[in-house]
Amino acid sequence: MSTWPATGALLPATRVPGGELAAVAEAADFAVLPVGAVEWHGPHLPLGTDLILAEGFAGESAATAGPRGVLFPAVPYAACPGQTRPWPGTVAIRPEIAVGYLADVIEGIVAAGFPRLLIVNGHDANMSTVRAAMEWVSGRRQASLLLVNWFQLVTPAETTEIYGSLPARGHGGAYETSGVLGFDPEAVRLDAVTDLPPKPKLPVTHPYVLVESRPDPWQGWSGHISLASEDAGRRVRELAGGRLREIVEAWVAAPLPAPPSDDPLPGDTAPIRGAS
């Protein structure tokens, strides 16, 4: 049987012989699927920024001595917002196509013998399409599907501690740029741009989602790039990677759910209270 590498706890699914798949799936604690995008992030970041981050943090999901995972190839293309679609290099697919494609990928991995699937996201727009696909698969297969967005694993208070009071968490901003520096510093061109301060947030503390056709200022990205550094990237990787492993260990330790059923109350013939 294929064995897990001594230097890490993730076995690449693409290297598992078909005849050994069942044994590998039986021995694995979970499977991992990175999801990213090919999208403009400014002149300073690569088009594969979201893939670098999704694949990088997927690799951080299991420690050598922890649960054993099987790593599936990343999903590279995604639905992209209107603010980045016109910019060069963005390859966007329609949201309805993204949901159907992701549903087939997720179900295929589960059907291959991996009822626990961790999806590590590097592209904010994937949160809605992946969630919709997960909900659909969970009604067809016995599965525990866990979606984690690396961006949310470091709190706003912590990014303020790292970068100071200026906003750092925007698209292509200092936080995301530092994240890439934490995995692949050669891919970043810090000298290619000057700071482009982002549009201020609404002066409220309540949660909200604001989608605008073209914020101002905006060049397909915005942010204080002068705040990004490799040191900050290493700190981001350390914080987010450690928390991802904590989530995975707690999730793997929990029991699997029961299989789905067309009967919401299988084996229970008592009438629902209030029904006539």
Side-chain angles (χ1 to χ4, degrees):
M1 186 189 79
S2 299
T3 57
W4 272 259
T7 56
L10 292 179
L11 181 67
T14 54
R15 298 297 184 266
V16 176
E20 299 178 13
L21 175 61
V24 167
E26 179 67 25
D29 295 301
F30 66 105
V32 190
L33 177 67
V35 291
V38 177
E39 181 187 33
W40 169 266
H41 282 74
H44 58 300
L45 285 173
L47 298 175
T49 286
D50 295 336
L51 280 167
I52 290 170
L53 291 164
E55 291 177 318
F57 281 109
E60 298 277 307
S61 65
T64 302
R68 296 190 294 186
V70 174
L71 177 63
F72 279 79
V75 174
Y77 301 110
C80 293
Q83 298 100 313
T84 60
R85 283 203 302 272
W87 294 87
T90 297
V91 179
I93 61 176
R94 285 166 285 160
E96 65 272 23
I97 300 298
V99 173
Y101 178 73
L102 288 162
D104 285 349
V105 171
I106 292 168
E107 185 170 29
I109 294 172
V110 173
F114 301 94
R116 290 189 193 272
L117 175 60
L118 166 67
I119 301 170
V120 180
N121 182 39
H123 174 64
D124 187 64
N126 286 335
M127 293 299 287
S128 56
T129 54
V130 172
R131 173 69 184 271
M134 289 165 59
E135 298 286 2
W136 185 80
V137 173
S138 70
R140 294 168 53 86
R141 300 274 181 175
Q142 181 183 19
S144 179
L145 306 172
L146 177 65
L147 172 60
V148 179
N149 187 357
W150 80 268
F151 202 88
Q152 296 172 316
L153 292 174
V154 180
T155 69
E158 288 168 331
T159 51
T160 298
E161 181 181 336
I162 294 170
Y163 301 103
S165 59
L166 292 174
R169 295 176 72 94
H171 178 74
Y175 177 42
E176 191 168 30
T177 299
S178 296
V180 179
L181 286 167
F183 288 103
D184 190 356
E186 296 300 318
V188 181
R189 304 289 184 267
L190 290 177
D191 59 353
V193 292
T194 57
D195 287 353
L196 182 64
K199 179 179 179 179
K201 293 185 178 295
L202 299 180
V204 299
T205 58
H206 318 302
Y208 64 89
V209 175
L210 176 64
V211 176
E212 295 184 308
S213 55
R214 182 165 175 146
D216 184 26
W218 182 253
Q219 293 180 10
W221 71 280
S222 64
H224 297 277
I225 303 306
S226 61
L227 301 176
S229 68
E230 288 189 43
D231 285 344
R234 284 188 287 270
R235 181 61 176 152
V236 167
R237 178 175 177 176
E238 175 188 18
L239 285 171
R243 287 166 187 173
L244 178 58
R245 288 189 293 274
E246 288 179 22
I247 294 169
V248 168
E249 288 172 6
W251 169 58
V252 167
L256 280 170
S261 171
D262 291 334
D263 182 355
L265 298 172
D268 187 351
T269 58
I272 298 175
R273 184 174 298 176
S276 57

